[in-house]
Amino acid sequence: MKEEIKLYADLDLLGCTYAVEEHQAVFTVEESSALHDRLPGVHSKNLFLKDNDGRFWLVTVPAEIRVDLKALPAAMGSKRLSFAKAEDLLRLLGLIPGSVTPLGAINDSDDTVTVVLDREIADAMTVWVHPLRNTASLGIAGEGLIRALRHWNHDPVIAAVPRL
């Protein structure tokens, strides 16, 4: 996949240290929990959302937390949120459900999607995300993830994402 080749080239260009772990396809946090013991660090989950104004948001949080969706808009500067459609995910980020990752910002050249990182993700020594597909996990420092997002003109919103 040429997008993934560009992803690794950009990370190398930016001096981001990362590790890639190949594995069976995982579609949910529950399915990926078996990886958590052998891949130390913060594991992530992602919410692809749309607000009442038609703005798209990709929120990345630690895998084990439950997000308070009613309090989330105020924490990230949005209006009422709902889950966005799979067609929008593919059109805007080039991703399919199960492969959602903040690294999808590499495909959003129009800067349509606002990326929100929970503070724990941003501060992590190692955070595990998908490298544009759900058959691998990529471990990178939160700082490296932020550097890559900024390189792709997606300065992320760093927020204390409200939990239930």
Side-chain angles (χ1 to χ4, degrees), residues 48-159:
F48 185 56
L49 306 166
K50 186 176 181 179
D51 70 18
N52 281 356
D53 288 340
R55 290 179 58 198
F56 290 93
W57 302 81
L58 177 62
V59 180
T60 303
V61 300
E64 69 279 358
I65 74 159
R66 290 182 52 219
V67 176
D68 183 344
L69 291 173
K70 290 186 181 194
L72 181 59
M76 59 187 223
S78 174
K79 296 190 178 193
R80 188 173 166 277
L81 295 163
S82 60
F83 286 95
K85 296 179 180 176
E87 298 82 31
D88 293 321
L89 178 65
L90 182 60
R91 178 175 56 87
L92 299 172
L93 298 177
L95 301 172
I96 59 171
S99 300
V100 184
T101 173
L103 298 174
I106 193 172
N107 296 322
D108 182 21
S109 57
D110 294 332
D111 193 22
T112 304
V113 178
T114 301
V115 177
V116 178
L117 300 177
D118 180 74
R119 179 148 312 281
E120 188 176 337
I121 297 286
D123 293 341
M125 294 295 292
T126 303
V127 60
W128 291 93
V129 297
H130 288 308
L132 309 177
R133 59 187 169 94
N134 68 349
T135 55
S137 294
L138 183 144
I140 188 170
E143 178 275 327
L145 176 59
I146 293 167
R147 192 175 339 144
L149 291 167
R150 288 180 176 153
H151 176 72
W152 302 319
N153 298 314
H154 282 75
D155 195 12
V157 174
I158 310 296

